[in-house]
Amino acid sequence: MRPTLRTVLNLSGTVLHTNLGRALLPEASIEAMCRVARHASNLEYDIVRGQRGERDVHIERQLCNLTGAEAAMVVNNNAAALLLVLNTLANRREVPTSRGELIEIGGSFRLPEIMARSGCHLCEVGTTNRTHLDDYAQALGPRTGVVLKAHTSNYSIEGFTASVHHQSLARVCHEHGVPLLVDLGSGALIDLPRYGLPHEATVAQVVADGADLVTFSGDKLLGGPQAGIIVGRAKLISRIRRNPLQRALRLDKLRLSALSALLRLYADQDRVVSRLPTLRLLLRSRDDIRSMAKRLCPVVQHTLKQNARVSVVDCESEIGSGSAPTGRIPSAGLAIRPGGQRIARAFRQLSTPVIGRLLKGAFILDLRCLDDEGGFVSLIKELRFSQPRDTSLRAEQG
Ligand SMILES: *Cc1c(COP(=O)(O)O)cnc(C)c1O
């Protein structure tokens, strides 16, 4: 009778972990979801005029204010956003895209496949390491539906490289009367370097650079529920809204309410980082985390007894989910060895499973995302080791 979908402690060091549910929602979003879950709402009802209304009104004005775009809409996730935009603007038409940006984000999201399912013909431009403005210019023609620029979310190309900036690409697209679509992936609304985090262009910057449409996820750096957000020119957004697929990809009332509450928090830029759990965790300092590791080290050692040795280590967290793929954030945690695999299994068997990572035979717990220190201490009292200590240690050495 135990539910299969359970809460876990994400001590993997990847803050936005796709397998572990990505962003943690702020209280305001959770309360908003409870309210609309319990009561009827004006989800698609215009209270002033007493008529049918639009779902997107609950997020559109806020998204426009935050990004400088003319219009905005939301769908199920960013993959859906891309599918919908490409199908609306480029069904049976060409979509020039750099060979350096044909991304795969986990097995189920491969850009060329999404394009094919959207009815578009991918028109590869440039090479893997170098794409120039002229490559795009030569690909533009009467059959072009939209030009796509995708964020290279989980890799970087280094060495002898060249890519085209949004701004110059937008200019060339507009000279040919073709819209520019930018898939930003994570889509930050705040200036990350201001808080000491790796650089990511904000949605507002990309809109200001001339992108006609920008798509990004709700549950990555934004810190909200799973959603795909599309912002850009009003004319294009209204065409996208009329696509029959929109109905199949739309957002439900729970997530819409969570997203709307989240965007309200962004209006107060000074306080947003303390109110959004995901941003707050990303901004914790290594010193803070290391102090916690020092307090917990003897407690964990006491619980593990002779089964393993625990030490405090410096480590590096990553944002995850395709944000700043090469950027690392200084963090700290506990290293438990020997027998990393066996220790990892024991931590996964706790009533709230603890997920760490394995590194060179050690089990590493990055403590960046540990909020409830006391809860962790009582939780690990349940630790049990399946095999007797001697045999497992011997197996490990063998
Ligand atoms: C994560 C990502 C996606 C997919 O977004 P989902 O919200 O997971 O559907 C698409 N494009 C890029 C560049 C991404 O980083």
Side-chain angles (χ1 to χ4, degrees):
M1 294 300 283
R2 189 162 71 176
T4 55
L5 185 57
R6 299 157 64 194
T7 60
V8 303
L9 285 184
N10 171 13
L11 305 188
S12 67
T14 302
V15 178
L16 290 166
H17 199 305
T18 298
N19 303 152
L20 303 179
R22 292 192 184 162
L24 312 179
L25 296 186
E27 279 310 310
S29 294
I30 296 167
E31 285 161 15
M33 279 194 293
C34 291
R35 278 195 300 275
V36 301
R38 256 188 214 111
H39 304 283
S41 62
N42 63 333
L43 178 64
E44 281 183 11
Y45 182 73
D46 184 329
I47 294 174
V48 176
R49 293 156 67 198
Q51 294 171 356
R52 189 200 162 97
E54 283 264 357
R55 276 174 200 237
D56 284 336
V57 300
H58 305 295
I59 46 84
E60 185 165 24
R61 194 179 311 152
Q62 303 158 60
L63 278 169
C64 293
N65 288 342
L66 292 165
T67 63
E70 294 170 9
M73 61 181 289
V74 284
V75 289
N76 178 60
N77 60 6
N78 191 24
L82 269 175
L83 179 77
L84 189 61
V85 172
L86 290 170
N87 179 262
T88 309
L89 302 183
N91 191 18
R92 284 184 275 172
R93 307 185 65 153
E94 287 179 359
V95 181
T97 308
S98 164
R99 288 196 170 89
E101 297 173 1
L102 297 175
I103 51 177
E104 173 184 307
I105 316 263
S108 57
F109 181 96
R110 305 177 96 191
L111 198 51
E113 288 170 10
I114 295 264
M115 278 200 191
R117 293 296 172 120
S118 313
C120 311
H121 302 295
L122 166 61
C123 167
E124 297 182 14
V125 303
T127 61
T128 305
N129 56 329
R130 291 171 72 82
T131 300
H132 306 279
L133 195 53
D134 204 40
D135 296 326
Y136 285 103
Q138 284 178 15
L140 289 169
R143 290 192 307 273
T144 311
V146 65
V147 171
L148 171 64
K149 192 158 171 54
H151 185 275
T152 54
S153 288
N154 42 14
Y155 62 96
S156 73
I157 298 180
E158 285 170 45
F160 186 53
T161 62
S163 61
V164 178
H165 192 265
H166 306 120
Q167 204 165 12
S168 24
L169 184 54
R171 185 169 38 77
V172 167
C173 289
H174 298 159
E175 281 165 16
H176 288 77
V178 171
L180 171 64
L181 160 64
V182 177
D183 172 18
L184 261 190
S186 215
L189 291 186
I190 57 164
D191 183 37
L192 299 174
R194 195 181 131 195
Y195 302 96
L197 291 174
H199 174 78
E200 285 281 347
T202 65
V203 180
Q205 279 158 3
V206 177
V207 169
D209 284 344
D212 301 285
L213 289 168
V214 182
T215 67
F216 56 101
S217 298
D219 54 353
K220 293 185 177 175
L221 268 178
L222 197 69
Q226 179 187 305
I229 299 169
I230 309 169
V231 303
R233 304 232 179 266
K235 259 194 177 152
L236 299 176
I237 297 271
S238 73
R239 271 178 70 192
I240 298 166
R241 280 205 183 105
R242 290 197 300 273
N243 186 328
L245 273 179
Q246 192 272 341
R247 173 64 184 253
L249 302 173
R250 72 184 183 186
L251 205 60
D252 65 278
K253 63 183 180 181
L254 297 183
R255 289 187 285 151
L256 196 62
S257 68
L259 187 62
S260 172
L262 173 86
L263 293 172
R264 273 166 224 283
L265 298 182
Y266 271 99
D268 185 350
Q269 292 264 330
D270 293 326
R271 287 207 281 173
V272 69
V273 289
S274 59
R275 290 169 164 184
L276 293 194
T278 297
L279 288 178
R280 187 171 50 72
L281 294 175
L282 282 170
L283 294 181
R284 279 174 117 177
S285 74
R286 173 179 268 171
D287 284 348
D288 264 8
I289 304 168
R290 199 195 280 125
S291 314
M292 191 199 292
K294 283 182 178 157
R295 288 192 298 273
L296 287 175
C297 184
V299 185
V300 176
Q301 183 66 76
H302 179 76
T303 317
L304 290 173
K305 300 197 181 65
Q306 303 302 313
N307 285 286
R309 290 185 312 280
V310 187
S311 55
V312 174
V313 288
D314 280 351
C315 55
E316 287 179 321
S317 316
E318 51 185 295
I319 300 179
S321 285
S323 311
T326 54
R328 293 286 181 272
I329 316 168
S331 186
L334 301 174
I336 309 177
R337 53 168 74 83
Q341 293 276 9
R342 185 178 56 116
I343 310 276
R345 197 177 321 118
F347 273 87
R348 287 202 308 272
Q349 284 164 353
L350 294 169
S351 56
T352 300
V354 173
I355 315 296
R357 68 165 182 264
L358 292 164
L359 186 71
K360 295 180 191 152
F363 179 56
I364 311 283
L365 295 173
D366 181 330
L367 298 183
R368 170 171 301 281
C369 296
L370 181 60
D371 251 339
D372 179 8
E373 209 176 315
F376 180 76
V377 169
S378 20
L379 179 67
I380 58 170
K381 293 199 177 109
E382 301 168 9
L383 275 173
R384 297 287 175 270
F385 293 91
S386 46
Q387 297 156 297
R389 176 183 152 252
D390 288 351
T391 47
S392 62
L393 276 183
R394 212 172 298 134
E396 199 74 37
Q397 282 150 9

